[in-house]
Amino acid sequence: PSADAVPALMPSGRAPGELGPLDFVYTPSADVAADTRWFAEVAGARIVFTVEAMGTRVAMVELGEGPPVLLAGHLEGERAVLVYRVDDLDAALERLRGRGFEPGGVFEIPHGPVCPIVAPGGHRLALYQLIRPGATAHFEGRRDF
């Protein structure tokens, strides 16, 4: 194939816009403190942090070898959001537009810019670009509740 036919790769080895790892499972919680206790005491999860700020509570728990679970008091709906890392958020959103899907707005999370995506069947994804890799470490060990 010609050089034009081969996609340029990012340092990760992925083409710009390709999905990287599933980094977080973000899930709504009506009672973050109670859910955090259950995950720790019953499921054996490690509590990474519990944060209360800006009128909401968020806790990160680790279960097994998969991505951590974020229990979020402010997240609406009943379905979890699967949060995938991409090397280049703009390129990933362009790929979606090229496939006929118009993504929603971009906003910031502690790790970097993120764009939520809702599939026609109601499944929820989010794509984010990791520009602040120390964000989890910054919160690790914090216990607000």
Side-chain angles (χ1 to χ4, degrees):
S2 73
D4 294 337
V6 178
L9 297 180
M10 300 296 289
S12 65
R14 293 185 297 271
E18 285 185 351
L19 294 185
L22 173 63
D23 279 355
F24 309 106
V25 176
Y26 214 80
T27 189
S29 173
D31 187 337
V32 177
D35 288 343
T36 301
R37 278 191 305 279
W38 184 90
F39 272 94
E41 295 170 6
V42 178
R46 179 177 87 88
I47 300 172
V48 179
F49 62 74
T50 62
V51 173
E52 186 166 8
M54 297 181 286
T56 193
R57 287 179 162 182
V58 177
M60 178 184 278
V61 297
E62 290 180 336
L63 291 153
E65 295 182 23
V69 174
L70 287 146
L71 304 165
H74 63 282
L75 188 59
E76 295 181 10
E78 295 183 18
R79 292 194 187 202
V81 180
L82 306 176
V83 184
Y84 286 90
R85 185 182 339 148
V86 295
D87 292 321
D88 183 332
L89 184 58
D90 290 335
L93 298 179
E94 270 311 306
R95 281 182 90 146
L96 289 172
R97 286 183 191 97
R99 294 176 181 156
F101 182 81
E102 189 56 41
V106 174
F107 60 92
E108 290 287 325
I109 60 173
H111 297 82
V114 64
C115 181
I117 298 167
V118 179
H123 298 284
R124 303 193 300 176
L125 307 172
L127 307 181
Y128 87 103
Q129 184 173 338
L130 181 61
I131 61 172
R132 292 181 288 276
T136 298
H138 173 77
F139 291 106
E140 190 161 356
R142 181 169 163 178
R143 298 288 187 274
D144 291 356
F145 55 91

